[in-house]
Amino acid sequence: MENKAVFFDRDGTLNVDIHYLHRPEDFIWIDGAKEAIKYVNDRGFLAILVTNQSGVARGFYPESDVQRVYDWMNAELGKIGAHLDALYYCPHHPEAKLPEYRKICTCRKPATGLIDKACARFGIDRTKSYFVGDSEADMLCAKNAGLKGLRYEGGSLRELLVKNIITDKM
């Protein structure tokens, strides 16, 4: 049986976008973000975080900080009975300060590598899945990956999902 998923961008979609966020103490949830994740959990969708993290390539923080913020997010979500099922991130950038991360890759959004990996791992049916993000790159990634794109432009993230995600068994 194929799964359905909602892919979430992080910065500017789930949290207030401060450049190169890498510490839980600097994380500020977007209005309705935790509730949006619970909404998709409760409706049988996988909730998957997909995020570009060029701060790693620029040498601002190590990859372990990306995982640490994700773990903190899940701990906070657990307080309301919600969770993210997986984290996929791109640490690369074509102009990276650190040579090991300096490359053009298939995982940096709007490329679809992060989505492709998650779909392969979880058996996700793209025709029943969504990508929620705040940027044109996110919407292009959704289109290229065969997902329905939902652009977050402010207000309650949960309300955006309630208005746009079909909640039957699909």
Side-chain angles (χ1 to χ4, degrees), residues 42-54:
D42 290 348
R43 279 147 189 83
F45 288 84
L46 295 169
I48 299 175
L49 184 61
V50 289
T51 177
N52 289 343
Q53 292 295 313
S54 70

Side-chain angles (χ1 to χ4, degrees), residues 12 17 42-43 52 68 92 108-109 117 119 143-144 152 154 159 169:
D17 190 3
D42 290 348
R43 279 147 189 83
N52 289 343
R68 187 167 59 101
H92 310 112
R108 183 169 181 74
K109 296 180 295 175
K117 285 181 185 177
C119 287
K143 180 181 175 186
N144 292 342
Y152 175 71
E159 289 309 309
K169 300 285 181 195

Side-chain angles (χ1 to χ4, degrees), residues 147-159:
L147 304 171
K148 297 172 197 88
L150 298 178
R151 185 138 187 198
Y152 175 71
E153 298 179 301
S156 168
L157 186 63
R158 183 185 183 279
E159 289 309 309

Side-chain angles (χ1 to χ4, degrees), residues 12-136:
T13 303
L14 293 180
N15 61 278
V16 174
D17 190 3
I18 62 165
H19 291 297
Y20 309 114
L21 171 70
H22 64 282
R23 300 178 334 153
E25 55 267 31
D26 296 330
F27 192 103
I28 301 168
W29 290 97
I30 290 282
D31 179 43
K34 291 187 281 189
E35 296 80 8
I37 294 166
K38 182 163 178 32
Y39 179 81
V40 302
N41 292 157
D42 290 348
R43 279 147 189 83
F45 288 84
L46 295 169
I48 299 175
L49 184 61
V50 289
T51 177
N52 289 343
Q53 292 295 313
S54 70
V56 172
R58 297 172 196 274
F60 296 152
Y61 50 88
E63 287 189 64
S64 60
D65 281 1
V66 179
Q67 183 68 47
R68 187 167 59 101
V69 169
Y70 171 77
D71 291 342
W72 177 86
M73 290 171 70
N74 256 338
E76 290 296 302
L77 289 165
K79 294 175 184 177
I80 64 163
H83 67 277
L84 291 163
D85 291 285
L87 163 66
Y88 290 88
Y89 68 95
C90 173
H92 310 112
H93 194 276
E95 300 170 10
K97 176 182 174 185
L98 301 176
E100 62 269 32
Y101 295 107
R102 188 181 309 129
K103 68 179 185 173
I104 297 173
C105 62
T106 60
C107 60
R108 183 169 181 74
K109 296 180 295 175
T112 62
L114 301 174
I115 304 292
D116 297 339
K117 285 181 185 177
C119 287
R121 175 179 169 197
F122 291 103
I124 294 169
D125 181 343
R126 295 172 195 241
T127 67
K128 296 179 181 177
S129 298
Y130 298 82
F131 187 109
V132 182
D134 67 317
S135 71
E136 189 57 40

